[in-house]
Amino acid sequence: MTDTTTDSQGVRPHAGIPLEHPDAETAHATERAVFGFWIFLMSDLVVFALLLATYAVLLKGNSSAPGPAEVIELAYAFPETLLLLTSTLTLTFATVALREDRARGVYGWTFLSLALGAGFLALEGAEFAGLINKGHVPQVNGFLSGYWLAIGTHGLHVAIGVVWGLILIAQFWIYGFCPAIRSRLVRFSLYWHMLDVVWIAIFTVIYLPGSLVS
Amino acid sequence: MLGRLSWDASPFYGVIPAIAASVVVLAAIGTIVLLTVMRRWRWLWSEWLTSLDHKKIGIMYVVLAAIMLARAFIEAGLMRTQQALGAGAGDVGPVGAEHFAQLFSTHGTIMIFFVLMPFMTGLINFAMPLQIGARDMTFPWMNSIALMLTIGGAGLVMASLVIGKFSTGGWTGYPNFTGAEVNPGVGPDYWIWALTLGGAGSTLTGINIVATIWKERTTGLDHLMWMPLFCWTSLCTALLMIFAFPALTVATVMLWLDRTFGFHFFTQGDGGNMMQYVNLFWMWGHPEVYILILPAFGVYSEVIGTFSSKKLFGYTSLVWATMAIAVLSFTVWLHHFFTMGASANVNAIFGIATMVIAVPTGVKVYDWLLTMRHGRLRFDVPMLYAVGFIVTFVVGGVTGVLMAIPPFDYVVHNSTFLVAHFHNMVIPGSLFGMMAGATFWFPKAFGFRLDETWGRRGFWFWIVGFYLAFMPLYVLGLFGMSRRMATYLHPEWQPWLIAAWAGAGLVGCGLICQAIMLYVSIRDRERLRDITGDAWDGRTLEWLAPSPPPEWNFGARPVVTGRDEFGERKLNDEAYPVPDRTAYRDIEIPANAATAPLIGIFAFLLAFAAIWWMWWLVWISAGAIFLLVLWRSMRFDLHRQVSAETLYQADMAHRRTILAHANGDIGSGAPMRHARGTEGYLAKERREREGQA
Ligand code: HEM
Ligand SMILES: [Cu+2]
């Protein structure tokens, strides 16, 4: 028996990475990074699941006004949803462009996705400002605490995503399309898509039932 | 500017707090002076704190655990003294009620978050990559950050001794006792932020462990069922960390929002729901107890196999039992609050689910026993802990199953019966496992074994002390004594509490023996030298590497062809073949990173500032962390090259040492105790040499 193994052996291919790898080392590096990021996303999803579960618990026990009937409107949530879902599509175009090495496509689509994300944040900001004006702040009761925290945590994630995306664009600009940054864009897109999934859950658990009560 | 920090936060509200604070301050000053006088700052910084080597990070975790164990044990001793003297009304005993509450809160929090968590994280970090033939963890930088966050959390608990007070809400921190109305001070905030930093570190570590086991296994270990059992338990533990810790984070963040910004998650009125906190806490809390015990199960499996000189009996069943425990651990959390008022059916379901976990655990116990059967048993210190564990753990398991019966739990809930039960699980279960693991892998980490005599003394004090300290608590619990009581009006309890106090004293002697063991071992390190790297006639890959292993672990990564690879190689006289030069390639190993400890420092500052409401400092620290991460993301030269030739020469040198040792040329002071592999190999080489002659 001899001790032979190369260091890049043990790469277990990971489906769904929209990148071509120049060599085994890069492939390995990308795969472990993307795999680790998947695990992180799972952990993050548990956070959102628990926020929504807590929201449901607090909703049920809430006796004091205001309740969902006074607070929840679809007027903001509907365009917000459209913006966010579209941004997922445009970001997918960005990763396709990345795979095909079309620099302008990558810049353009990523930037558009971030702009849509920023639009989402602007609408959400307007929604929150409206709530504050009406005095519907999280300090009022358990329902509002749960509402603000669940939606706010998602919004915070989107905001972080926008900053991250801008940094990525800058890094592409400075360092060119090197493997490390390519792999970051792949992870960023996973993150962004997850926020969509989370939003759909929020929409289903918070907005839809809430709007049905009113 | 300083938020709510003022002179009131000084520790001069009592004699014992003042002494404790002085000890912390003096220890800090002493360390700084010592490092300066011995000119060790640079060494500490560049050899340890900035190192991304998984072995060094593992060792630092264990050092942290040892320091915190000393503190938490002193607190346990204080509590035992208080209760031994606490019969009667009013202020009897040395410790006031308020301070007693701080003591059990810090003791519990430290023991769980800053003793057992870093201890097991450290052992996994150290041993698991070696066992799978990897060069490092998948994310070395993140590994270091996780360590630094954990140290930051522990630092907060230490800081609370000097500046302000720690929580009095127990390690579980239930509102509304920890809410802003009842507890407006900084105590619960210290608790929240210590947990937050520790929990963030644990989540990162969990991700890292899973990625490492999944992505870094050496050739041959595609057969997962060939992995050492410790890797399996590490994997399951890490999965639990990933999925359970979010619950703790959510619970503590909500509590913090309630306390700091007047939210109403868990408040008494305004639509808050305290029971939801309890739910969230134990959704994390029950998996957490398995996070603490599974790595210990892994260590016991390695130890029992090695010191029985046998392959593990029922390896496959051990793997499946581990996975079953991991999954089931998410289905039982309600047994921590049977008395909260869920319906009888709900209680019954969770009671049964709890008892079901006893089944895979029982499977494990039988597997260990059957491994020992017909084995060539060697009772070295790690094995003593393992045997002590099997016997004692069964007692704790039985009391656990008792409490899984809701009607029984109604009687003993929150009594000292419970205190006895969980100490019965965490001490002989988890802590003994960690100590066994530390003794087992110590020679691998430092190149010499721990002194056997003092190690044995330590073990016997620990186990006898444990029985004496905790068996009386079962009795007292059945008498009706509640937990967390500083004083009591039942003089008939006192003899039992004095016995428990004596038991804690014996445990203290055990700790002293272990300290002496460390001193004696360092002093006599030449006598205890582990020359071959195979200190215990080991069976798994880590014993193939030299002790201590080089930064890259293996010059050429070993190829695995079966379970207990190294043991098999020794049986076949193939343990130390002549290295094949063509198998070596240039490799990259991670360069040191100063960003990780800096992030740790700023995370500590952020938490400290949030506790004291110094919001400007919160923002500055957050900004600094952001910039550090950004800076790191723009550096691409993060590796150091090691040439194939270097690797090859190192392996050749190691092999020469082994042969010289087997020939008796070196290491006369430390005869290799179990030289199966080398003896056979040597005979073969002699034959060959004679054949040539
Ligand atoms: C070394 C010997 C130890 C002694 C003598 C000891 C003693 C004690 C005592 C006297 C209490 C307070 C009991 C009460 O509330 O009436 C306590 C609580 C506790 N101990 Fe230990 N302990 C030891 C080790 C450990 C270890 C290794 C752990 C690891 C997890 C641990 C975890 C806890 C926890 C979680 C609590 C509950 C704190 C609370 O009430 O919130 N202890 N211990
Ligand atoms: Cu439990």
Side-chain angles (χ1 to χ4, degrees):
Chain A
M1 192 187 335
T2 46
D3 282 3
T4 45
T5 171
T6 67
D7 269 88
S8 54
Q9 257 171 357
V11 177
R12 285 161 191 82
H14 196 298
I17 298 181
L19 289 180
E20 306 284 356
H21 303 300
D23 56 70
E25 288 303 318
T26 327
H28 193 202
T30 309
E31 295 201 355
R32 55 213 312 224
V34 172
F35 180 76
F37 200 74
W38 270 107
I39 309 176
F40 161 74
L41 290 182
M42 289 199 290
S43 190
D44 212 22
L45 277 176
V46 179
V47 169
F48 284 107
L50 293 171
L51 289 179
L52 289 177
T54 305
Y55 171 81
V57 168
L58 294 174
L59 183 66
K60 211 172 159 210
N62 196 54
S63 49
S64 55
E70 292 85 50
V71 171
I72 294 179
E73 312 168 31
L74 286 187
Y76 285 108
F78 180 62
E80 280 168 20
T81 311
L82 286 185
L83 287 178
L84 210 58
L85 292 191
T86 317
S87 78
T88 262
L89 181 68
T90 52
L91 196 64
T92 309
F93 290 150
T95 43
V96 172
L98 180 70
R99 179 172 196 151
E100 293 167 0
D101 264 332
R102 286 184 282 112
R104 279 182 46 213
V106 174
Y107 287 126
W109 290 116
T110 310
F111 195 77
L112 181 61
S113 315
L114 298 180
L116 291 169
F120 168 89
L121 286 176
L123 281 181
E124 195 160 72
E127 178 185 354
F128 280 178
L131 289 181
I132 294 175
N133 276 339
K134 286 190 226 148
H136 296 338
V137 289
Q139 284 85 348
V140 173
N141 61 25
F143 153 71
L144 277 168
S145 300
Y147 179 86
W148 276 80
L149 188 63
I151 297 174
T153 308
H154 177 267
L156 184 68
H157 274 72
V158 176
I160 292 173
V162 171
V163 176
W164 182 9
L166 289 175
I167 291 173
L168 273 186
I169 291 182
Q171 291 187 338
F172 268 127
W173 192 260
I174 302 172
Y175 302 106
F177 282 62
C178 61
I181 301 179
R182 281 168 180 266
S183 134
R184 283 178 204 164
L185 187 72
V186 172
R187 276 173 277 161
F188 173 69
S189 75
L190 287 177
Y191 176 83
W192 198 258
H193 298 322
M194 178 204 72
L195 291 182
D196 250 26
V197 176
V198 171
W199 179 256
I200 292 171
I202 289 180
F203 195 82
T204 322
V205 175
I206 299 184
Y207 285 105
L208 269 188
S211 65
L212 294 182
V213 217
S214 48
Chain B
M1 180 73 177
L2 289 181
R4 46 178 171 163
L5 182 55
S6 70
W7 283 115
D8 296 341
S10 61
F12 302 115
Y13 55 91
V15 181
I16 296 179
I19 295 176
S22 332
V23 170
V24 174
V25 173
L26 287 180
I29 295 177
T31 316
I32 292 173
V33 170
L34 204 66
L35 285 169
T36 314
V37 172
M38 297 176 67
R39 301 179 160 278
R40 283 297 182 133
W41 280 108
R42 177 170 294 280
W43 166 82
L44 182 69
W45 180 254
S46 51
E47 291 287 313
W48 290 94
L49 295 179
T50 56
S51 170
L52 300 191
D53 182 342
H54 71 96
K55 301 180 285 300
K56 288 192 173 162
I57 291 180
I59 292 169
M60 285 188 273
Y61 268 116
V62 176
V63 170
L64 174 70
I67 295 172
M68 299 309 280
L69 176 67
R71 167 167 173 198
F73 174 75
I74 292 173
E75 288 166 336
L78 268 175
M79 285 190 287
R80 280 275 140 266
T81 312
Q82 166 63 30
Q83 286 191 331
L85 301 173
D91 262 352
V92 281
V95 181
E98 158 94 8
H99 186 207
F100 189 83
Q102 265 194 69
L103 284 175
F104 65 68
S105 305
T106 39
H107 166 79
T109 307
I110 293 180
M111 280 292 191
I112 302 235
F113 285 92
F114 302 113
V115 176
L116 289 182
M117 286 303 280
F119 214 148
M120 65 138 239
T121 311
L123 288 188
I124 295 179
N125 243 300
F126 180 82
M128 181 274 287
L130 286 165
Q131 290 195 325
I132 58 171
R135 296 205 188 283
D136 207 322
M137 300 283 274
T138 299
F139 306 113
W141 185 59
M142 198 167 92
N143 203 15
S144 178
I145 292 182
L147 166 70
M148 295 305 160
L149 291 177
T150 313
I151 295 180
L156 284 177
V157 188
M158 289 316 241
S160 79
L161 270 183
V162 185
I163 310 172
K165 294 182 189 174
F166 198 73
S167 173
T168 48
W171 83 280
T172 47
Y174 283 5
N176 70 351
F177 184 75
T178 48
E181 302 103 75
V182 183
N183 235 317
V186 288
D189 296 309
Y190 263 120
W191 177 81
I192 287 172
W193 281 98
L195 263 59
T196 305
L197 293 195
S202 295
T203 312
L204 296 182
T205 302
I207 295 173
N208 217 341
I209 294 173
V210 174
T212 306
I213 296 183
W214 219 245
K215 291 287 178 194
E216 313 297 334
R217 277 169 287 135
T218 188
T219 313
L221 279 180
D222 311 315
H223 296 267
L224 287 173
M225 284 297 189
W226 288 353
M227 285 202 300
L229 210 91
F230 183 70
C231 300
W232 276 108
T233 56
S234 307
L235 177 65
C236 291
T237 296
L239 286 169
L240 292 183
M241 284 157 115
I242 293 161
F243 287 113
F245 265 92
L248 179 70
T249 311
V250 168
T252 49
V253 165
M254 287 175 173
L255 184 61
W256 183 69
L257 290 172
D258 277 6
R259 292 178 51 78
T260 313
F261 300 107
F263 283 41
H264 289 289
F265 288 106
F266 312 128
T267 51
Q268 184 96 56
D270 299 306
N273 188 336
M274 285 173 256
M275 280 145 87
Q276 178 64 2
Y277 174 88
V278 180
N279 250 309
L280 289 170
F281 184 85
W282 288 110
M283 260 179 223
W284 159 81
H286 191 84
E288 167 69 11
V289 305
Y290 286 97
I291 293 174
L292 299 180
I293 200 80
L294 285 181
F297 285 175
V299 172
Y300 292 130
S301 304
E302 300 296 314
V303 164
I304 290 174
T306 305
F307 292 94
S308 308
S309 315
K310 270 176 73 181
K311 281 195 176 175
L312 270 174
F313 180 91
Y315 173 94
T316 317
S317 63
L318 279 167
V319 171
W320 284 105
T322 306
M323 291 199 263
I325 292 175
V327 172
L328 288 174
S329 72
F330 280 104
T331 65
V332 298
W333 77 93
L334 190 132
H335 65 209
H336 293 273
F337 44 97
F338 280 141
T339 55
M340 199 167 79
S343 74
N345 283 342
V346 171
N347 278 357
I349 287 171
F350 278 88
I352 292 168
T354 306
M355 294 178 212
V356 168
I357 296 199
V359 176
T361 316
V363 168
K364 292 191 155 207
V365 171
Y366 282 111
D367 280 337
W368 290 318
L369 290 175
L370 290 169
T371 306
M372 289 168 64
R373 186 164 178 267
H374 289 318
R376 280 200 285 124
L377 299 184
R378 286 176 273 137
F379 287 97
D380 296 88
V381 174
M383 188 64 165
L384 287 181
Y385 280 112
V387 175
F389 149 77
I390 295 184
V391 176
T392 316
F393 192 74
V394 171
V395 177
V398 169
T399 58
V401 173
L402 276 176
M403 286 195 294
I405 306 167
F408 184 87
D409 185 68
Y410 264 74
V411 180
V412 294
H413 181 71
N414 263 357
S415 72
T416 58
F417 190 92
L418 167 82
V419 176
H421 160 71
F422 70 66
H423 283 88
N424 203 334
M425 301 315 259
V426 291
I427 294 179
S430 196
L431 193 61
F432 280 12
M434 298 302 106
M435 289 178 179
T439 322
F440 188 50
W441 283 308
F442 188 91
K444 182 54 49 191
F446 296 101
F448 56 96
R449 273 179 286 120
L450 285 169
D451 182 72
E452 189 78 21
T453 315
W454 285 103
R456 281 172 190 278
R457 288 179 190 155
F459 164 76
W460 285 110
F461 273 119
W462 261 99
I463 188 145
V464 175
F466 164 77
Y467 275 100
L468 192 56
F470 290 101
M471 293 304 132
L473 297 195
Y474 279 124
V475 181
L476 285 168
L478 293 175
F479 286 173
M481 179 175 176
S482 291
R483 73 194 284 198
R484 297 176 177 171
M485 291 209 302
T487 58
Y488 44 93
L489 295 172
H490 296 265
E492 68 274 19
W493 290 351
Q494 196 168 21
W496 299 94
L497 287 164
I498 292 177
W501 172 78
L506 291 185
V507 170
C509 295
L511 274 169
I512 292 173
C513 288
Q514 289 172 324
I516 298 178
M517 166 185 76
L518 208 58
Y519 168 74
V520 171
S521 315
I522 296 176
R523 192 192 61 195
D524 297 353
R525 56 188 177 279
E526 284 314 321
R527 174 172 66 80
L528 298 165
R529 181 76 58 201
D530 165 25
I531 292 173
T532 60
D534 183 17
W536 312 105
D537 193 9
R539 314 179 64 77
T540 39
L541 285 183
E542 73 268 36
W543 307 107
L544 177 65
S547 295
E551 246 181 299
W552 48 83
N553 291 350
F554 302 98
R557 295 175 64 186
V559 178
V560 175
T561 55
R563 201 174 295 156
D564 284 5
E565 171 71 18
F566 184 53
E568 290 302 306
R569 286 193 193 185
K570 285 191 287 189
L571 280 182
N572 300 333
D573 284 336
E574 287 169 344
Y576 305 103
V578 188
D580 167 12
R581 177 67 181 80
T582 57
Y584 292 79
R585 338 236 142 165
D586 296 350
I587 57 164
E588 288 182 329
I589 53 178
N592 284 18
T595 35
L598 289 176
I599 287 177
I601 290 172
F602 282 111
F604 173 87
L605 284 178
L606 189 154
F608 187 81
I611 292 167
W612 291 99
W613 298 352
M614 300 179 224
W615 302 115
W616 57 272
L617 187 54
V618 171
W619 288 112
I620 289 183
S621 311
I625 294 175
F626 170 76
L627 288 179
L628 284 166
V629 176
L630 184 66
W631 188 75
R632 169 98 183 169
S633 81
M634 299 192 303
R635 297 278 310 274
F636 300 94
D637 50 340
L638 302 167
H639 294 278
R640 218 148 36 80
Q641 292 275 342
V642 183
S643 73
E645 188 57 26
T646 315
L647 301 177
Y648 175 68
Q649 291 304 343
D651 276 10
M652 286 298 281
H654 177 51
R655 185 168 175 281
R656 275 196 297 276
T657 319
I658 290 178
L659 291 186
H661 177 63
N663 269 322
D665 297 346
I666 53 168
S668 49
M672 189 148 115
R673 293 150 24 116
H674 325 288
R676 251 189 323 152
T678 20
E679 262 167 19
Y681 185 77
L682 207 65
K684 197 166 147 197
E685 195 168 69
R686 279 208 198 96
R687 272 199 309 278
E688 275 164 19
R689 224 184 288 149
E690 280 156 15
Q692 280 166 7

